[in-house]
Amino acid sequence: MCGIVFSARWTTNDAVSTSGTGRQDKFQKLKQRLHDANTARAGCPGPDAQRTRQVCIEGQERFYLDLEFFASELRLRGNAPVVQPHVDEERGDVLCWNGEIFEGLDIGPDENDGVKLFSAITSLEDLDDLPRLLETIEGPYAFVYYHHASHRLFYARDPLGRRSLLINKPTPKNPYFLLTSVSVGALEEYDLTEVSTDHIYSLDLQRLGASPDPIAGFENCLEGLQRVFNSSAFSGMTFCIIIKAEPSRVNRALPPSDLSSRLETLDEIPSYLGAAVEGLISHLDRSVMLRVRNIPQWHLTLEQKVEREAQFNSARVAVLFSGGIDSTVIAFLAHRHLPLDEPIDLLNVAFENPRKLRVSTTGNVGGFTKKQKKEQKRYEALGEGRNEKYDHDYLVPDRVTGLKEVEELRRLCPGRTWNFVEVDVPYAESQAARPVVEAIMWPGRTVMDLSLAMALYFAARGIGQVRSDANAAPIPYTSPARVLLNGLGSDELLGGYGRHRTAFNTGGWQAVIEELQLEIDRIPTRNLGRDDRVISSHGKESRHPFLSLNVVAFLAALPVHFKMDPRQEVGLGDKMLLRLAARKLGLVEASARKKRAMQFGSHSARMEAGIGDGGGQLLLS
């Protein structure tokens, strides 16, 4: 994983004016702040490697274009650190690569994917073949590549936008071009937006430098290259998927008109769903395997190793764990592909929420419905019945289900150490961190952005406590895992949201199909860039097994009634195919668990009076 900052600024050889000097100072300070923020992506105590590369392109008369490439490297592939940016000294080409190549290029366990990709790019006979090369890659990425011979700059994110890349286009007020993995909050020095995933972008720097007005002419020098699209290919019922360079199209076939049967129980898989269940398990299992293998161990100091080995072995992989079906299936599949003597950390975050606590002591202060108050009492009862050693302020819904589900994993996976990490966040601590989180998540700025970002920020930090069993006293623990598995994507692909049931009630199966296609189309523009910025601020990398392009293609190609049945109750019909797969894997309790949004399950939402559930409500202007 890498933090990227690229800047291009137009300057002259003339002596600068006082106002020009002030503007230059502001620009230099902005760059340094961005460098510092991107260095934080490479973890603590510091990055594995980082450096800066500068390039100067002469323009017309006294005018020139000053380019600067900065990258800070967190080593998650290969046997040795690799210094970024990647530079071909002979050709003058430069690559800043923030990504993981899980399929497409032949990369050995001791090799670095950025090095292999740079070699593949510089071997191209025609730069127009770059989109076709990227088409072969499956994995999250964002990159900036400079081709010296043509003075062309290429940049892009992967088709699903799983890695953050922000852009500031030049204006008379801020006459510079910026690309950066993370922001430093709301500043007048830039106007950052997410780089669109629709194209691979090519900027002709030579032409830009020769333009009489490069700021006004920037858009004329920028070209959006079409991604190369392949179609999915299938071999019988084995569902062999060809990697695509775009999110998939949903199967638009309607269920048979005589579809009257309904799934009544998860205990028995209907014959027509047998191959689909096996296919989902196979594709998801492979996706998890590719994301947990060959992760290098964190380089600890001798003192840290001695201290850690006295209590625990060192976990390389953690799961953002609510105890729901998505995170539990991912955790179980990770167990299949990691050495048995290696712990897996389950990061479970809970917030001290004053509004929720007031409800339990003084009644319906927050305007809760009868159903919500009933749920609150049920969670409190579960907590009191379990163990007095647990702080009831943190027995939020996700903590209760997480505690239940870790016991199921321990029964199914004997010999595996599951570190259930209780990440408790006091109200004062969450409020103290709020300005930091708001800066990192920018240009996300809504109430919902903040609720989700807060939960991810503290979960990814991984500072909490663990217990050897449910009745044991807690022991302070900080997760050393650099790779965090995330179950995001299953609801979008398998019909797990309430809006899918609403679509069926208002427009039948056709409306559900339309909604599922909208879900896939929206994935690149929703939360992934924000989540990457927040999680990576702790030097951690989030990986999404459900969002492998092959898993997405497999699920999109299935008929809609193979994936969900909105005629059935919640906990059975929603994500029906995943529930059947989980039951087949032996995850009986997880398979029937109902969907709960992270911000509500962790109580990171609605902490103060007057703050609603979030949605598109602006938090920052």
Side-chain angles (χ1 to χ4, degrees):
M1 188 179 75
C2 179
I4 294 171
V5 182
F6 168 79
S7 64
R9 180 177 170 83
W10 292 264
T11 56
T12 69
N13 291 321
D14 295 337
V16 293
S17 64
T18 302
S19 60
T21 301
R23 180 179 286 183
Q24 176 73 8
D25 288 343
K26 288 179 66 176
F27 176 66
Q28 294 299 331
K29 290 178 181 178
L30 173 62
K31 281 200 306 181
Q32 187 57 55
R33 292 183 67 182
L34 291 173
H35 288 187
D36 292 343
N38 279 274
T39 298
R41 288 175 62 94
C44 180
D48 291 321
Q50 68 180 56
R51 69 177 171 187
T52 301
R53 180 76 171 190
Q54 293 183 319
V55 176
C56 182
I57 299 178
E58 293 186 3
Q60 63 174 4
E61 298 179 353
R62 299 178 305 278
F63 178 82
Y64 66 92
L65 192 58
D66 184 21
L67 313 180
E68 183 176 276
F69 302 82
F70 171 85
S72 185
E73 173 90 3
L74 172 70
R75 183 173 70 88
L76 291 173
R77 300 292 286 271
N79 285 345
V82 172
V83 180
Q84 285 214 57
H86 303 281
V87 178
D88 186 322
E89 296 291 354
E90 182 177 346
R91 294 164 53 105
D93 293 1
V94 182
L95 172 68
C96 293
W97 168 254
N98 174 30
E100 302 289 347
I101 300 176
F102 297 123
E103 295 182 87
L105 288 181
D106 184 16
I107 301 171
D110 59 341
E111 294 181 305
N112 179 274
D113 53 354
V115 171
K116 293 294 289 281
L117 177 65
F118 191 41
S119 176
I121 293 175
T122 55
S123 298
L124 293 174
E125 295 183 2
D126 188 340
L127 268 181
D128 291 338
D129 289 333
L130 181 59
R132 189 167 297 279
L133 172 63
L134 294 172
E135 172 200 17
T136 67
I137 291 174
E138 158 47 20
Y141 64 78
F143 75 89
V144 178
Y145 169 62
Y146 172 63
H147 185 250
H148 176 73
S150 65
H151 294 307
R152 291 171 69 187
L153 186 82
F154 298 84
Y155 61 93
R157 301 164 69 204
D158 72 82
L160 290 178
R162 290 167 285 183
R163 286 289 175 268
S164 170
L165 190 62
L166 304 173
I167 182 172
N168 174 79
K169 295 183 178 181
T171 63
K173 180 181 178 181
N174 298 315
Y176 38 79
F177 174 47
L178 291 173
L179 292 166
T180 176
S181 297
V182 297
S183 74
V184 287
L187 299 177
E188 63 177 13
E189 287 88 348
Y190 57 36
D191 182 16
L192 294 177
T193 57
E194 298 269 11
V195 169
S196 170
T197 62
D198 291 341
H199 299 93
I200 297 163
Y201 294 92
S202 171
L203 180 63
D204 189 335
L205 296 170
Q206 188 75 63
R207 181 181 164 201
L208 187 63
S211 173
D213 186 350
I215 296 174
F218 178 85
E219 293 291 347
N220 293 329
C221 300
L222 182 65
E223 179 183 6
L225 306 178
Q226 288 293 328
R227 294 185 182 271
V228 180
F229 302 143
N230 278 332
S231 298
S232 298
F234 298 89
S235 175
M237 293 301 288
T238 58
F239 301 101
C240 299
I241 308 297
I242 293 176
I243 294 173
K244 299 182 63 178
E246 68 167 349
S248 300
R249 310 308 298 172
V250 169
N251 186 329
R252 303 190 68 82
L254 293 171
S257 58
D258 60 349
L259 180 68
S260 58
S261 61
R262 301 188 185 195
L263 184 73
E264 301 295 340
T265 176
L266 296 173
D267 292 327
E268 184 176 347
I269 300 173
S271 58
Y272 77 95
L273 287 177
V277 171
E278 291 287 353
L280 174 56
I281 292 174
S282 175
H283 279 85
L284 195 55
D285 183 70
R286 175 172 172 77
S287 180
V288 171
M289 180 271 290
L290 292 171
R291 284 158 177 76
V292 301
R293 68 175 183 177
N294 303 328
I295 301 170
Q297 287 284 0
W298 191 330
H299 298 294
L300 301 174
T301 66
L302 179 60
E303 292 77 9
Q304 288 172 320
K305 287 181 179 178
V306 171
E307 179 182 357
R308 191 171 300 285
E309 289 171 2
Q311 299 179 10
F312 309 96
N313 293 321
S314 184
R316 290 179 297 166
V317 172
V319 182
L320 296 174
F321 190 75
S322 66
I325 183 172
D326 309 329
S327 59
T328 302
V329 168
I330 293 302
F332 179 81
L333 294 178
H335 159 73
R336 287 180 164 187
H337 301 290
L338 290 168
L340 190 58
D341 62 352
E342 182 175 314
I344 297 176
D345 289 349
L346 305 176
L347 306 177
N348 183 276
V349 64
F351 286 79
E352 180 189 31
N353 188 318
R355 296 181 76 250
K356 296 288 188 180
L357 297 177
R358 283 199 299 272
V359 168
S360 66
T361 57
T362 62
N364 196 22
V365 174
F368 282 73
T369 65
K370 291 182 179 180
K371 180 180 178 181
Q372 288 171 322
K373 287 189 286 186
K374 184 179 179 180
E375 287 290 295
Q376 180 73 15
K377 290 179 180 179
R378 183 168 68 88
Y379 294 132
E380 291 170 1
L382 281 171
E384 292 169 358
R386 174 172 288 276
N387 196 305
E388 292 184 358
K389 291 186 173 68
Y390 289 90
D391 188 332
H392 294 182
D393 290 354
Y394 298 108
L395 279 172
V396 301
D398 281 358
R399 177 62 49 82
V400 174
T401 55
L403 287 167
K404 286 183 177 180
E405 197 51 50
V406 70
E407 294 306 317
E408 182 169 47
L409 287 172
R410 286 169 176 159
R411 290 195 302 270
L412 289 174
C413 311
R416 170 75 63 190
T417 297
W418 297 96
N419 291 326
F420 184 81
V421 186
E422 302 167 24
V423 180
D424 296 341
V425 186
Y427 177 72
E429 186 175 2
S430 68
Q431 294 309 291
R434 178 170 169 168
V436 175
V437 176
E438 288 179 351
I440 297 168
M441 75 183 195
W442 186 267
R445 65 184 93 179
T446 68
V447 173
M448 182 175 288
D449 281 323
L450 180 62
S451 297
L452 293 168
M454 290 286 277
L456 289 172
Y457 179 83
F458 284 101
R461 192 176 66 166
I463 299 176
Q465 59 189 23
V466 296
R467 306 168 195 257
S468 57
D469 60 63
N471 295 311
I475 300 172
Y477 179 79
T478 299
S479 173
R482 288 183 167 188
V483 171
L484 310 186
L485 299 181
N486 191 332
L488 190 147
S490 71
D491 292 294
E492 289 81 357
L493 298 170
L494 289 155
Y497 290 120
R499 57 179 173 266
H500 300 127
R501 189 176 298 272
T502 300
F504 178 80
N505 292 336
T506 57
W509 287 106
Q510 185 63 51
V512 174
I513 292 171
E514 299 293 343
E515 189 66 35
L516 289 175
Q517 186 60 63
L518 280 175
E519 297 287 6
I520 293 180
D521 293 342
R522 286 190 295 239
I523 287 173
T525 59
R526 291 186 70 191
N527 305 331
L528 291 171
R530 177 203 66 204
D531 294 354
D532 177 55
R533 292 191 292 278
V534 171
I535 291 172
S536 66
S537 67
H538 298 298
K540 309 292 180 76
E541 178 175 279
S542 181
R543 297 181 180 178
H544 306 88
F546 281 101
L547 293 182
S548 158
L549 287 175
N550 284 338
V551 173
V552 174
F554 167 75
L555 290 174
L558 291 176
V560 61
H561 62 290
F562 280 32
K563 295 178 281 193
M564 61 178 295
D565 188 346
R567 302 171 300 173
Q568 288 287 32
E569 63 185 26
V570 176
L572 180 63
D574 54 316
K575 296 191 286 191
M576 177 181 69
L577 186 66
L578 181 61
R579 296 185 185 281
L580 288 169
R583 185 65 64 96
K584 185 176 179 65
L585 292 171
L587 297 165
V588 176
E589 292 185 38
S591 66
R593 200 151 280 137
K594 296 179 181 180
K595 162 74 179 174
R596 186 168 49 236
M598 176 172 59
Q599 67 270 34
F600 301 123
S602 67
H603 283 184
S604 66
R606 302 181 60 177
M607 287 199 182
E608 294 114 12
I611 296 293
D613 291 350
Q617 180 183 348
L618 279 179
L619 176 73
L620 306 166
S621 58

